[in-house]
Amino acid sequence: MKVYLSALFLSMCMAYIYQTLDNRLVNYTQNLNPYMKQRKIDRSLCYISAALSALPFIVITGLRYRVGTDYLYYAASFNRVNNGNSSYFANPVYNLLEWIAAVLADDYMVLFCVTGTVLIGCYWFIIYRRSCYPIYSIFLFWGTNTFYISLNGVRQGIAMGFLFIAIQYALKKELKPYLFFFVCAVLTHRGVAYFLPVYWLFQIKLKPRRAWIILGLTLAAGLVGSQGLYYIIRLLGYGYYISSMFNTGEFEWFIALINIVVLCVFCFYERTAYESEYREEFQAYFWLQLLATASVMLSVAIPLAKRICWTFSIGQILSLPLMTKFEKSKIGKLILNLGIILGFILSIYFGIVVKGAHKVLPYRWWTERF
């Protein structure tokens, strides 16, 4: 875990440098500072610090060995492509990345360097364009489990990165670029196809009462569906073996609790948000949070529905820093920030350290394969 915490610390330090330089550039503009040369230097340093803040995560993503449940499966697929055979995966965009890696080198380490660069690049591009506080968003990239998902589900991780970019165009109501990045995501991992309707949902105003009604109906449908499955199994006389397939242990109360609490935060700031300049962004993130919460609640009936929650919860990387703008009192800001930080630290601790999710511990460097 020290490797991941070190990467997070280094990344946040570079983001702090970026934010300091960016604030200085804003002051130059407001004060009509005549020193154009200094502004150009600071702007260049901003770009460099932003790129350097991505580097620690790219390095530990690319230079890992046997980290992630599906690591060897991806490595074996790369070796097939490198030997002129077909990939294990029927995902055109991912196949293109495999081919690029095979052209660059014969070692599958290069594949993880390429996919890591694309993945982190997608997230960092939007974090530095749309986040109120890039440092906060980088912490949430780690704390919301998004980073660890990408170490295991490489294709889904990259697909979520494309969807992260697509969100920006949905906010700007630019359908064509939204569809382009959505298609890129689906061609990387078909499991994210259910994300398509969010473009149109973002245009519909969501009120807290409607959100809780939708969540309640989703939970009820999941519970009824679960009971229906068990009834059919008993009716057909199949044994314990078949019924056990629905007892997957996929429903995680801690993830459900965090998402419900975050949804409560959205509802609490709903009136303030809709009266602010950020109302359209808030509306979009509100929908994403509702869908994330509903999908994890649906996992009481549908195995692996938690993966749907992963896809919709990427909005938290941008939305939670925005929530802090709506809180006016210093004590309120402190409570909100501590709650977010501690909640996601506990989530990582229980999920990654205690339960060993995604098999990312212990971390091994690429050099350990020799």
Side-chain angles (χ1 to χ4, degrees):
M1 201 65 182
K2 291 179 181 177
V3 173
Y4 302 121
L5 291 174
S6 298
L8 178 64
F9 175 75
L10 290 172
S11 183
M12 292 177 70
C13 284
M14 296 310 301
Y16 175 78
I17 294 172
Y18 166 88
Q19 209 157 298
T20 302
L21 292 169
D22 188 58
N23 289 337
R24 195 155 69 179
L25 284 170
V26 171
N27 290 334
Y28 287 158
T29 304
Q30 290 175 344
N31 298 327
L32 300 176
N33 191 295
Y35 300 109
M36 295 296 294
K37 184 177 179 180
Q38 184 61 44
R39 276 196 274 182
K40 287 181 179 179
I41 292 172
D42 282 357
R43 187 172 288 107
S44 299
L45 290 174
C46 270
Y47 295 143
I48 293 170
S49 59
L52 289 176
S53 71
L55 194 58
F57 283 106
I58 293 174
V59 168
I60 63 174
T61 300
L63 302 186
R64 72 189 196 270
Y65 174 60
R66 287 180 178 265
V67 174
T69 307
D70 295 341
Y71 178 90
L72 292 177
Y73 195 42
Y74 282 102
S77 178
F78 170 81
N79 288 333
R80 283 178 57 85
V81 173
N82 192 46
N83 291 326
N85 299 313
S86 60
S87 171
Y88 285 148
F89 308 106
N91 308 106
V93 172
Y94 180 75
N95 296 153
L96 175 62
L97 296 177
E98 280 185 311
W99 178 80
I100 292 171
V103 169
L104 293 174
D106 294 334
D107 198 309
Y108 59 77
M109 178 202 71
V110 177
L111 171 69
F112 294 112
C113 289
V114 169
T115 57
T117 301
V118 172
L119 171 87
I120 305 298
C122 288
Y123 281 97
W124 259 239
F125 176 71
I126 297 301
I127 283 173
Y128 281 102
R129 286 189 63 130
R130 302 236 34 130
S131 177
C132 301
Y133 306 106
I135 299 175
Y136 213 150
S137 291
I138 289 171
F139 165 77
L140 290 167
F141 174 73
W142 172 82
T144 55
N145 205 22
T146 302
F147 173 63
Y148 295 106
I149 291 167
S150 69
L151 291 181
N152 180 34
V154 176
R155 289 171 300 135
Q156 181 163 2
I158 297 171
M160 288 164 59
F162 285 131
L163 294 178
F164 201 58
I165 295 178
I167 289 172
Q168 174 185 229
Y169 293 104
L171 288 170
K172 292 159 66 175
K173 299 179 183 178
E174 297 179 10
L175 181 58
K176 289 182 179 179
Y178 170 80
L179 290 176
F180 173 79
F181 284 103
F182 171 77
V183 170
C184 287
V186 173
L187 293 180
T188 307
H189 192 286
R190 291 189 297 270
V192 299
Y194 43 72
F195 196 85
L196 177 63
V198 301
Y199 178 89
W200 292 274
L201 288 175
F202 285 1
Q203 320 305 322
I204 303 171
K205 188 174 182 179
L206 181 62
K207 302 292 287 183
R209 184 176 179 182
R210 291 181 190 170
W212 291 110
I213 290 173
I214 292 171
L215 187 62
L217 291 174
T218 303
L219 179 60
L223 292 171
V224 170
S226 177
Q227 292 301 316
L229 289 172
Y230 280 109
Y231 174 77
I232 292 171
I233 290 167
R234 289 196 301 269
L235 186 67
L236 295 176
Y238 292 110
Y240 171 81
Y241 174 77
I242 294 180
S243 64
S244 66
M245 67 185 288
F246 297 107
N247 184 23
T248 61
E250 279 294 319
F251 186 74
E252 297 190 14
W253 288 100
F254 201 86
I255 293 176
L257 179 61
I258 283 181
N259 277 282
I260 289 172
V261 170
V262 172
L263 188 63
C264 288
V265 171
F266 272 79
C267 293
F268 182 79
Y269 291 111
E270 178 260 347
R271 180 172 296 179
T272 304
Y274 278 128
E275 292 174 354
S276 74
E277 60 182 304
Y278 301 103
R279 54 185 173 275
E280 292 186 353
E281 287 183 59
F282 173 83
Q283 183 170 288
Y285 300 147
F286 198 179
W287 272 109
L288 285 176
Q289 183 55 46
L290 172 61
L291 295 171
T293 310
S295 58
V296 75
M297 300 303 289
L298 193 62
S299 65
V300 298
I302 303 175
L304 299 179
K306 182 179 66 178
R307 296 191 179 194
I308 303 174
C309 175
W310 295 346
T311 302
F312 288 125
S313 64
I314 57 176
Q316 293 172 350
I317 296 172
L318 297 175
S319 65
L320 290 176
L322 182 62
M323 293 300 109
T324 62
K325 279 187 169 290
F326 301 140
E327 179 55 56
K328 304 304 180 185
S329 71
K330 290 184 178 179
I331 296 177
K333 281 184 182 291
L334 179 64
I335 293 172
L336 178 61
N337 287 318
L338 283 177
I340 292 170
I341 292 168
L342 292 176
F344 284 108
I345 287 176
L346 286 173
S347 175
I348 290 296
Y349 177 77
F350 284 116
I352 305 299
V353 179
V354 177
K355 297 187 65 177
H358 312 307
K359 304 298 180 186
V360 295
L361 292 177
Y363 184 86
R364 300 180 186 89
W365 288 102
W366 171 75
T367 52
E368 295 182 45
R369 67 187 267 197
F370 300 111

